[in-house]
């Protein structure tokens, strides 16, 4: 999920033409929308369509950034569940909630995504299996994929399962060559606090 939205905000700041932020928790998406509006209002600068446009009007800047950011509910495991505030992944899996009207619910990753980032999503074994399937889906769609993790032990199981999932259709990628032959690529980043 998009979590606090830092990756999405960075992509917008670096000039991404379109950013789609996905999360199972509507609170995360609301927080990202507020942060995007606040960021636009604070700096008064925006970058749209790869043309630098500086403006002193925060309302214009906010509108421009809002057009480049799409926030959608997304269940990584495909069950169509949404997290209630103050509940976790397991509660969402066992007690589905109707998606709030403020958000579109996506059942698949956007097929036209150039880059897909999975950040800090390897904290649960059930979720890990779902992430493997979603990474394989993104690679199949020729997206470049970046998976980041703070150094949890589960990452080793993830890499093993991902290698198995990709070996059938993307043998070069599964062998660590970084390119599946269709233009997509996969990078895994792990770091741990010292």
């Amino acid at each position: 999920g998009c979590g606090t939205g830092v990756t999405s905000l960075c992509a917008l700041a670096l000039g991404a033409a379109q950013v789609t932020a996905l999360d199972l928790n509507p609170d995360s998406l609301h927080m990202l929308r507020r942060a995007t509006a606040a960021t636009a209002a604070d700096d008064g600068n925006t970058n749209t369509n790869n043309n630098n446009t500086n403006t002193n009007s925060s309302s214009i800047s906010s509108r421009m950034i809002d057009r480049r950011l799409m926030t959608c509910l997304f269940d990584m495991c495909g069950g169509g569940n949404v997290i209630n505030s103050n509940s976790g992944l397991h509660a969402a899996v066992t007690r589905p909630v109707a998606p709030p009207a403020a958000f579109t619910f996506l059942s698949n990753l956007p097929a036209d995504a150039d880059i897909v980032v999975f950040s800090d999503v390897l904290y649960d074994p059930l979720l890990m299996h779902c992430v493997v399937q979603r990474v394989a889906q993104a690679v199949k769609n020729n997206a470049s994929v970046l998976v980041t993790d703070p150094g949890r032990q589960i990452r080793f199981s993830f890499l093993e399962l991902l290698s198995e999932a990709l070996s059938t259709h993307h043998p070069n990628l599964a062998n660590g060559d970084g390119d599946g032959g269709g233009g997509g690529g996969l990078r895994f980043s792990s770091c741990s606090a010292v």
Side-chain angles (χ1 to χ4, degrees), residues 122-190:
L122 301 178
Y123 52 83
D124 179 273
L126 171 65
L127 185 59
M128 175 193 65
H129 288 274
C130 301
V131 172
V132 166
Q133 296 307 308
R134 296 303 183 160
V135 169
Q137 175 190 356
V139 169
K140 180 181 175 187
N141 291 339
N142 292 322
S144 292
V145 178
L146 173 65
V147 181
T148 66
D149 182 79
R152 294 181 184 100
Q153 284 297 115
I154 198 171
R155 73 187 184 278
F156 299 111
S157 298
F158 168 77
L159 290 171
E160 185 177 311
L161 288 171
L162 184 60
S163 179
E164 291 171 16
L166 295 175
S167 65
T168 303
H169 299 291
H170 300 280
N172 293 335
L173 188 63
N175 291 331
D177 293 343
D179 183 6
L186 174 68
R187 299 287 181 265
F188 182 81
S189 172
S190 179

Side-chain angles (χ1 to χ4, degrees), residues 63-84:
R63 269 198 321 269
M64 289 178 176
I65 286 182
D66 284 349
R67 277 188 250 136
R68 295 187 302 141
L69 175 67
M70 184 167 81
T71 53
C72 300
L73 290 166
F74 182 72
D75 180 357
M76 188 83 69
C77 295
N81 300 308
V82 178
I83 287 184
N84 266 329

Side-chain angles (χ1 to χ4, degrees), residues 25 37 46-47 63 73 89 94 96 103 110 121 150 152 171-172 175-176:
N25 189 337
T46 188
N47 182 346
R63 269 198 321 269
L73 290 166
L89 175 67
T94 58
F103 297 103
V121 291
R152 294 181 184 100
N172 293 335
N175 291 331

Side-chain angles (χ1 to χ4, degrees), residues 1 7 9 16 27 34 52 58 60 67 76 88 107 110 117-118 127 132 142 154 158 162 174 185:
T7 303
L9 290 170
D27 291 342
R34 287 192 301 273
N52 288 330
S58 61
I60 292 172
R67 277 188 250 136
M76 188 83 69
S107 57
V117 179
F118 296 87
L127 185 59
V132 166
N142 292 322
I154 198 171
F158 168 77
L162 184 60

